[in-house]
Amino acid sequence: MEKKNLSQRIGNRTVPLNLQMGKYNHLEIESKWQTIWEAQRFYQVDLKAAERPYYNLMMFPYPSAEGLHVGNVFAFTGSDIHARFMKLHGYNVFEPIGFDAFGIHSENFAIKVGKHPKELTDNNVINFRENQLKKLGAMYDWSHEVNTTDTSYYKWTQWIFIQLFNAGLAYQKEGYVNWCPSCKTVLANEQTEGGNCERCGTEVIQKNLEQWFFKITDYAERLYNNLKIIDWSDIIKKAQENWLGRSEGIEIIFHTVDNKTKIHVFTTRPDTIFGATYLVLAPEHPVVDAVITNKNKSLVEKYRSDTIKKNVLERTDLNKEKTGINTGSFAINPATGDKIPIWVADYVLLEYGTGAIMGVPAHDERDFAFAQKYNLPIKQVIFPEWNASKVPFTGKGRLENSGKFSGLDSDEGGIAITNWLENTGYGEKTVKYKLKDWCISRQRYWGPPIPIIYCDDCGILPVPEKDLPVLLPELRDYLPDGSGKSPLARVESFVKTKCPKCGKDTRRETDVSDNFLDSAWYFLRYPSSDRDDVIFDKDLTLKWLPVDMYIGGPEHAVLHLMYTRFITMALYDLGLIPFQEPFKKFRAHGIITKGGVKMSKSKGNVVNPDEYIKEFGADTFRMYLMFLGPYEEGGDFSDKGIKGIRRFLERVWNLVRHTAINENPIEDNDVIYFMHLTRKAVTEDIESLKYNTAIAKLMEFFNIIKDKETLQRTIIETFLILLSPFAPHITEEMWHCLGHQQSIFESAWPVYDPTLLIKETTEFVIQINGKIKATLRLQVGADESFVKAKAMEVTPIQKFLQGKTIIKTIFVPNKLINFVIQ
Ligand code: ANZ
Ligand code: ZN
């Protein structure tokens, strides 16, 4: 198509041809461009042919019945602005989207409203896609949509489980797990909050069940070390660091008095060993059986069975009174040679360290409370440098009562004692992590069945890959019954199967996998979503992954974001992908509040974005949300601000409508200078996700150009392109009204000319009759008349000049101006 020449010249001025633009009608403009973009598949990327791939990822939504809320829109908009910005920089930006539709959220909601989760999910997805997401004006490539509940997706979730199982990274373990009596399911520690279910608030109890785990603890060190090299938001890295809970310390071996049993304890304070007056074993520790004396046996047994009813938080709460029981046996402190009693107490946890500790009551709060309660000896071995001490003293200081180590300070002493214990075979330096293995089985319905078969003869076998997916049967009665078994266990046709090895009748695993497994790998699937024969297309994966930019909520710091890293590392180790970290860059967005509090249904302060988008337009709403505050911090939602943004866009519209466009460069140095300044500032702000200040700078620029009768084309077009990531529809429309045939998003981001921004200054000396009276900072190269005018405005100079005549001015460029007066 030939490009129409839309500018008719009259003399050396142009008339505004953009008057064809009527009043700003967001409904018309937004639906027009959404339709055109979709029809032309404008945001669909040719993944194979793309020359400059850029993978921009946003955490995919869970399709709730309530629909997208403003928090989602805030998050998605910020991610889309980044995508558009990169597109305008010439990248082939892939911005996929999908639905995280399995999980207890959906299932519980379905139960509540008495519908089937499948039916609800399907409806919700349609609502999300057609009524909401498509109206946001984001660059989603819908041709690569994924939905975790599709068989074509969960087939591969099951496949990943099998790969991990075959690699020895998935195992079964019976044990006490957090159990929510209301959701009737197991919860990971991460899914409890202060001893309650994170989802429904019910108090969590402990239940003994056989569960599937992934050995994420094998990866603790790598997960920890890589934190130093990944470009992620600091708050997220900090949260992961805390969650991994790395401690450097030493494992010390204590022998029982009869020398039959060794007890390994983990401590971070080897400098205190001379103060260890007893040992404590976790009640579940297997060594308890070996050391327990007949006399104490029944009491210890009772104590053990009482313990399992408590959860971790109750057990480790500093304020709760300590409890414990004496085993009746003794061990030898290798440092002092003293006989010290061996106790069992629930403040020591089986899963951490070695599940056993040395009690040093003089220097540890919990040990102190315990020793006081049970009259155990308290021996101070660390003394503070200056003041007389009081136990427990938990700080560092000088060692006393510590044999040949007395006199050393804690750090030196700790090293010396560690070396001594290592040399004598009583200890070994070690690093421990608080991270626990990931419990991935759920005794629920709405998830991918775990692809395992139990054969009495052949053992535990993975479902052969050719038989995947193990279909989730369509159950009417999918309610959990509290038996600790999945509803699938009630479906005989599902449970019964043949052994893939011997052909005998066998049974299937009936648990489904954790929703977090679905989302731990979805970003790997997007580019290959149309492949049914392989999980990922090798070439596309090599080309598009790892993800260039991932944006999501800070609430996912330790669950989703840790699991994705683990799964990526595991798949890397299996040779399935060529990278260990999933995301080159991760940024956490802020949270939108209402009246200062987090939006939630229970508080009744959730804002529905749909009405605002309808009334004011997606462009206004996008910009308004981005203007609320720094993207990484969020802000407080109010109706008032929206109108202001809407008026701004109307004024932009009217400016473009009424202002004549001059095709020739016209001399207007101030405006040109400001244009470059704005290009620079907006570019830097968008790069660092400071969308709010980018918008503020566009507004300032607008104020400079708003009253001009004519504007040079570059100026108005610069303004539109800089605005386009925020307000894609209106800028696309105005762009076309200015005579363009191509999308504004196919133009180049306006770069600034740094030489035009140099405004270096220098100090000018102002003299009167050769005597220095003042100084003045002005631009380098300022000419005589400018310096003279500025100098005469300086108050003391004004006074000197009053009633006098300047008979001569001496000007030395960049240095001095001298008024000779009479
Ligand atoms: C002796 C000692 C003396 C300790 C002292 C502290 C102060 P972090 O930093 O969290 O790793 N501990 C070890 N294993 C435990 C378990 N399974 N359950 C409960 N407590 C356990 O803490 C390490 C310290 O926590 C260890 O160092 C141990 O107490 C305790 F003045 O050993 B310490
Ligand atoms: Zn068999």
Side-chain angles (χ1 to χ4, degrees):
M1 218 193 297
E2 203 187 302
K3 199 166 171 175
K4 275 179 249 150
N5 181 5
L6 290 178
S7 86
Q8 295 171 357
R9 285 172 181 286
I10 299 174
N12 59 1
R13 283 215 28 207
T14 53
V15 282
L17 281 159
N18 11 350
L19 279 176
Q20 63 193 318
M21 296 161 67
K23 218 174 144 243
Y24 174 40
N25 180 338
H26 66 268
L27 287 172
E28 219 170 81
I29 291 169
E30 292 184 358
S31 85
K32 167 181 163 186
W33 286 107
Q34 283 163 15
T35 310
I36 294 175
W37 290 331
E38 187 166 343
Q40 294 185 354
R41 304 178 180 197
F42 186 58
Y43 300 121
Q44 204 164 309
V45 186
D46 183 342
L47 296 181
K48 284 210 174 78
E51 273 167 19
R52 296 181 69 196
Y54 190 90
Y55 189 166
N56 185 69
L57 183 69
M58 177 64 220
M59 282 184 187
F60 65 165
Y62 140 65
S64 66
E66 296 86 38
L68 282 181
H69 57 82
V70 289
N72 298 129
V73 179
F74 172 80
F76 294 180
T77 301
S79 174
D80 185 60
I81 288 167
H82 180 73
R84 291 184 181 277
F85 178 71
M86 296 311 285
K87 184 170 171 58
L88 284 159
H89 276 82
Y91 288 93
N92 303 107
V93 179
F94 179 44
E95 187 175 42
I97 186 110
F99 300 97
D100 186 18
F102 266 140
I104 294 178
H105 273 296
S106 320
E107 192 176 329
N108 281 354
F109 189 79
I111 293 170
K112 200 171 123 194
V113 298
K115 286 201 173 140
H116 195 276
K118 168 103 178 75
E119 182 196 339
L120 267 183
T121 299
D122 291 350
N123 290 340
N124 293 349
V125 164
I126 291 172
N127 180 43
F128 263 65
R129 189 200 302 116
E130 303 304 326
N131 303 332
Q132 297 198 291
L133 288 165
K134 286 192 173 172
K135 303 228 154 85
L136 300 183
M139 324 197 320
Y140 300 129
D141 181 345
W142 289 101
S143 66
H144 284 271
E145 176 185 341
V146 301
N147 179 330
T148 55
T149 63
D150 285 347
T151 52
S152 60
Y153 184 89
Y154 76 70
K155 163 182 171 178
W156 298 114
T157 307
Q158 293 172 336
W159 186 86
I160 287 179
F161 178 93
I162 291 171
Q163 308 313 306
L164 267 64
F165 176 82
N166 290 339
L169 287 170
Y171 68 96
Q172 252 180 324
K173 187 177 78 178
E174 192 183 296
Y176 282 86
V177 288
N178 297 315
W179 176 266
C180 172
S182 161
C183 295
K184 297 190 175 119
T185 192
V186 168
L187 303 175
N189 279 335
E190 298 90 320
Q191 291 164 326
T192 66
E193 247 172 40
N196 298 325
C197 173
E198 167 202 69
R199 217 170 296 110
C200 71
T202 309
E203 195 184 340
V204 172
I205 59 166
Q206 301 297 300
K207 196 167 171 123
N208 194 15
L209 287 176
E210 183 112 86
Q211 299 285 344
W212 281 98
F213 291 86
F214 280 160
K215 270 193 196 159
I216 189 173
T217 52
D218 277 9
Y219 286 76
E221 193 169 341
R222 243 153 104 192
L223 290 165
Y224 182 86
N225 287 338
N226 278 11
L227 286 177
K228 295 184 197 102
I229 54 168
I230 54 179
D231 178 8
W232 284 32
S233 300
D234 283 338
I235 47 156
I236 304 295
K237 291 209 273 189
K238 198 84 219 134
Q240 293 215 341
E241 201 180 302
N242 289 338
W243 192 254
L244 291 165
R246 183 179 192 274
S247 284
E248 280 177 19
I250 173 170
E251 243 180 77
I252 304 177
I253 302 165
F254 286 72
H255 293 261
T256 50
V257 171
D258 60 12
N259 212 3
K260 282 193 187 135
T261 313
K262 287 184 203 168
I263 296 171
H264 291 245
V265 310
F266 173 67
T267 180
T268 47
R269 292 293 303 273
D271 56 316
T272 65
I273 188 168
F274 284 84
T277 54
Y278 61 97
L279 295 185
V280 187
L281 302 170
E284 311 89 331
H285 201 300
V287 152
V288 174
D289 292 320
V291 300
I292 203 167
T293 57
N294 280 335
K295 201 174 121 223
N296 295 34
K297 198 165 188 144
S298 60
L299 283 173
V300 173
E301 289 301 343
K302 178 167 187 320
Y303 183 76
R304 287 174 108 175
S305 61
D306 288 346
T307 305
I308 52 180
K309 293 186 197 117
K310 299 190 191 168
N311 66 31
V312 177
L313 286 152
E314 272 175 84
R315 286 176 58 166
T316 51
D317 190 339
L318 276 179
N319 300 318
K320 281 238 168 93
E321 195 177 323
K322 300 274 160 301
T323 63
I325 192 106
N326 196 340
T327 64
S329 335
F330 293 86
I332 302 291
N333 180 330
T336 60
D338 290 346
K339 221 174 107 179
I340 58 175
I342 305 168
W343 282 67
V344 166
D346 64 11
Y347 76 95
V348 175
L349 304 171
L350 182 68
E351 302 84 35
Y352 185 57
T354 58
I357 63 152
M358 58 180 197
V360 185
H363 303 293
D364 182 275
E365 308 265 5
R366 292 170 305 172
D367 295 347
F368 181 78
F370 190 76
Q372 274 205 318
K373 179 163 175 193
Y374 295 108
N375 277 321
L376 293 158
I378 299 171
K379 180 181 164 196
Q380 186 170 4
V381 293
I382 310 285
F383 288 80
E385 220 41 76
W386 302 112
N387 34 0
S389 63
K390 180 173 128 277
V391 285
F393 170 63
T394 56
K396 302 256 174 113
R398 181 173 30 85
L399 273 62
E400 291 299 343
N401 308 324
S402 297
K404 59 179 175 184
F405 304 102
S406 296
L408 296 177
D409 72 44
S410 285
D411 291 335
E412 282 175 321
I415 294 168
I417 290 174
T418 299
N419 289 337
W420 173 67
L421 288 169
E422 282 197 321
N423 291 336
T424 51
Y426 279 107
E428 210 176 323
K429 263 194 269 186
T430 138
V431 173
K432 300 283 182 199
Y433 291 89
K434 296 243 160 60
L435 182 73
K436 301 222 174 60
D437 277 340
W438 173 13
C439 174
I440 62 124
S441 43
R442 297 289 179 273
Q443 294 69 45
R444 295 290 297 243
Y445 170 66
W446 195 229
I450 292 177
I452 286 288
I453 291 170
Y454 299 94
C455 172
D456 289 339
D457 296 336
C458 311
I460 302 176
L461 301 169
V463 170
E465 287 175 22
K466 66 171 175 39
D467 295 340
L468 295 180
V470 177
L471 288 175
L472 179 67
E474 292 212 7
L475 293 193
R476 291 219 149 270
D477 170 26
Y478 61 87
L479 258 62
D481 53 19
S483 64
K485 282 191 179 151
S486 155
L488 296 183
R490 305 194 293 256
V491 187
E492 208 176 299
S493 57
F494 174 81
V495 177
K496 275 194 170 166
T497 184
K498 300 272 182 222
C499 172
K501 225 175 179 174
C502 71
K504 270 191 14 194
D505 284 345
T506 49
R507 62 198 164 83
R508 283 186 195 284
E509 168 64 64
T510 55
D511 285 355
V512 299
S513 56
D514 181 8
N515 179 213
F516 278 113
L517 180 57
D518 306 331
S519 56
W521 73 279
Y522 76 110
F523 56 95
L524 295 168
R525 182 65 183 164
Y526 276 135
S528 310
S529 62
D530 41 13
R531 292 289 297 268
D532 209 32
D533 53 334
V534 289
I535 181 166
F536 346 106
D537 178 289
K538 221 175 149 205
D539 295 338
L540 289 182
T541 302
L542 195 63
K543 181 170 181 176
W544 286 92
L545 284 141
V547 169
D548 291 284
M549 172 64 130
Y550 191 28
I551 288 180
E555 70 276 16
H556 293 294
V558 290
L559 295 164
H560 167 62
L561 287 170
M562 192 73 90
Y563 297 150
T564 53
R565 294 184 61 213
F566 159 64
I567 291 290
T568 306
M569 284 177 190
L571 295 178
Y572 169 83
D573 287 352
L574 291 168
L576 294 165
I577 47 174
F579 47 89
Q580 305 197 40
E581 285 289 341
F583 317 118
K584 284 189 202 153
K585 229 179 180 188
F586 174 80
R587 293 291 179 272
H589 61 72
I591 300 291
I592 300 296
T593 53
K594 180 91 196 269
V597 290
K598 208 179 154 185
M599 285 185 205
S600 79
K601 257 199 313 177
S602 57
K603 294 193 191 90
N605 64 347
V606 177
V607 176
N608 181 341
D610 299 3
E611 285 128 50
Y612 288 100
I613 289 175
K614 209 168 178 188
E615 186 176 348
F616 298 100
D619 286 334
T620 296
F621 199 59
R622 286 168 65 107
M623 267 185 85
Y624 166 67
L625 291 176
M626 294 303 104
F627 199 48
L628 276 181
Y631 185 59
E632 290 172 276
E633 286 167 36
D636 200 55
F637 189 92
S638 84
D639 288 10
K640 279 186 232 141
I642 300 179
K643 296 198 178 117
I645 295 284
R646 166 71 194 205
R647 268 197 301 277
F648 174 70
L649 285 182
E650 278 167 10
R651 290 168 69 206
V652 171
W653 178 264
N654 289 332
L655 173 87
V656 175
R657 191 173 165 208
H658 295 298
T659 309
I661 306 297
N662 199 317
E663 302 295 343
N664 298 320
I666 40 169
E667 293 297 313
D668 195 341
N669 282 334
D670 269 2
V671 179
I672 295 287
Y673 168 76
F674 220 88
M675 176 183 79
H676 284 281
L677 200 65
T678 308
R679 287 178 176 189
K680 179 173 192 284
V682 171
T683 305
E684 288 170 357
D685 283 353
I686 295 184
E687 267 167 1
S688 55
L689 308 184
K690 296 199 180 89
Y691 299 141
N692 58 331
T693 51
I695 293 171
K697 278 157 198 163
L698 283 168
M699 289 172 168
E700 281 172 38
F701 186 35
F702 179 80
N703 280 336
I704 298 220
I705 58 175
K706 69 175 197 289
D707 298 322
K708 308 272 178 203
E709 252 174 70
T710 60
L711 277 172
Q712 212 174 305
R713 187 173 270 276
T714 50
I715 288 166
I716 193 76
E717 292 193 347
T718 286
F719 182 77
L720 291 184
I721 298 172
L722 298 183
L723 182 65
S724 67
F726 300 94
H729 312 88
I730 188 175
T731 49
E732 183 78 299
E733 176 70 16
M734 291 187 285
W735 187 252
H736 282 75
C737 291
L738 290 177
H740 291 280
Q741 307 291 307
Q742 312 248 281
S743 167
I744 189 169
F745 298 102
E746 279 175 325
S747 51
W749 187 255
V751 289
Y752 70 95
D753 180 348
T755 61
L756 292 178
L757 291 182
I758 297 174
K759 282 228 163 169
E760 252 181 83
T761 58
T762 184
E763 196 117 271
F764 282 84
V765 167
I766 313 173
Q767 295 180 338
I768 306 277
N769 293 339
K771 291 209 179 89
I772 299 176
K773 298 293 178 198
T775 60
L776 185 59
R777 206 153 249 296
L778 290 171
Q779 275 161 257
V780 171
D783 64 9
E784 181 173 345
S785 63
F786 183 77
V787 176
K788 186 174 175 181
K790 288 287 170 195
M792 287 166 70
E793 282 168 29
V794 177
T795 324
I797 303 297
Q798 271 178 357
K799 275 196 204 130
F800 283 112
L801 295 180
Q802 225 159 41
K804 301 283 160 85
T805 340
I806 301 174
I807 47 174
K808 200 175 165 193
T809 315
I810 299 157
F811 178 68
V812 183
N814 298 328
K815 289 214 167 70
L816 161 154
I817 190 155
N818 181 15
F819 298 112
V820 183
I821 58 170
Q822 235 178 9

